[in-house]
């Protein structure tokens, strides 16, 4: 509806805009597997997996794209493992309560590169919002937000949360 009414829209996780993701994205090529590890508590009092799970979801979409073709999640205690399949790559989300770092690894063939990503996001999200307010243009296509909700819903559904 925001798109139909030409209302600028932003929101979700500020982590999807971390500058380090630009460099990491260059390692994600056809045939690669990306693993994202971050905090999310499926039993959070703040609406369960939605509260922190959206961070991992939006990083996945930022790095691998919106065109995922299947999602399967598994719950082991409060750890959620999710495979997000694309036609030419795979993204695996590993979320658990009290995970203090954002870890991203990319593997292609025999080469794996691991990153501990600094979460200096305080200026990123607000900066995008200010730019949107000044220009009237959202920082991402509206489909990003629709796909973020869709992917989060599929994780919750397939993990039986």
């Amino acid at each position: 509806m925001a798109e139909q009414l030409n209302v600028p829209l932003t929101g979700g996780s500020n982590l999807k805009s971390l500058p380090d993701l630009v460099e990491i994205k260059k390692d994600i090529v056809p045939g690669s597997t990306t693993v994202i590890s971050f905090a999310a508590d499926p039993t959070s009092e703040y609406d369960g997996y939605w509260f922190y799970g959206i961070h991992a979801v939006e990083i996945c979409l930022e790095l691998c794209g919106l065109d995922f073709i299947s999602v399967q999640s598994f719950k082991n205690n409060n750890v959620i493992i999710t495979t997000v399949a694309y036609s030419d790559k795979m993204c695996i989300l590993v979320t658990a309560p009290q995970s203090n770092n954002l870890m991203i690894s990319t593997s292609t063939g025999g080469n794996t590169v691991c990153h501990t990503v600094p979460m200096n996001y305080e200026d990123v999200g607000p900066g995008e919002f200010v730019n949107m307010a000044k220009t009237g243009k959202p920082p991402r296509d509206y489909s990003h937000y629709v796909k973020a909700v869709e992917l989060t819903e599929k994780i919750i559904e397939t993990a039986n949360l």
Side-chain angles (χ1 to χ4, degrees):
M1 180 166 281
E3 184 175 21
Q4 291 172 353
L5 297 173
N6 201 29
V7 174
L9 176 71
T10 189
S13 172
N14 286 347
L15 299 180
K16 67 182 170 283
S17 302
L18 291 172
D20 291 36
L21 298 184
V22 174
E23 287 302 311
I24 294 170
K25 189 172 184 171
K26 293 176 184 176
D27 293 335
I28 302 171
V29 297
S32 65
T33 299
T34 303
V35 179
I36 301 167
S37 297
F38 192 62
D41 184 352
T43 64
S44 169
E45 63 188 11
Y46 306 111
D47 204 17
Y49 193 82
W50 282 103
F51 189 65
Y52 278 114
I54 196 68
H55 294 297
V57 163
E58 288 200 88
I59 291 168
C60 170
L61 297 176
E62 193 69 26
L63 291 175
C64 298
L66 305 178
D67 58 340
F68 59 88
I69 56 176
S70 70
V71 178
Q72 185 62 53
S73 298
F74 305 91
K75 182 178 183 218
N76 182 22
N77 294 316
N78 282 335
V79 177
I80 309 299
I81 310 293
T82 301
T83 57
V84 183
Y86 291 80
S87 64
D88 62 347
K89 59 188 158 279
M90 178 78 65
C91 187
I92 300 169
L93 308 178
V94 180
T95 56
Q98 279 85 43
S99 292
N100 295 321
N101 295 310
L102 170 57
M103 307 291 294
I104 301 173
S105 66
T106 56
S107 298
T108 306
N111 185 31
T112 298
V113 179
C114 300
H115 308 268
T116 300
V117 180
M119 291 186 287
N120 51 349
Y121 57 85
E122 293 84 5
D123 295 328
V124 177
E128 284 188 350
F129 178 80
V130 168
N131 190 51
M132 181 185 75
K134 287 179 180 178
T135 65
K137 296 182 186 206
R140 279 166 196 75
D141 188 81
Y142 294 92
S143 60
H144 171 89
Y145 304 104
V146 172
K147 286 298 201 173
V149 171
E150 181 184 332
L151 180 52
T152 305
E153 285 177 336
K154 287 184 181 296
I155 292 169
I156 291 168
E157 175 188 323
T158 61
N160 297 312
L161 302 179

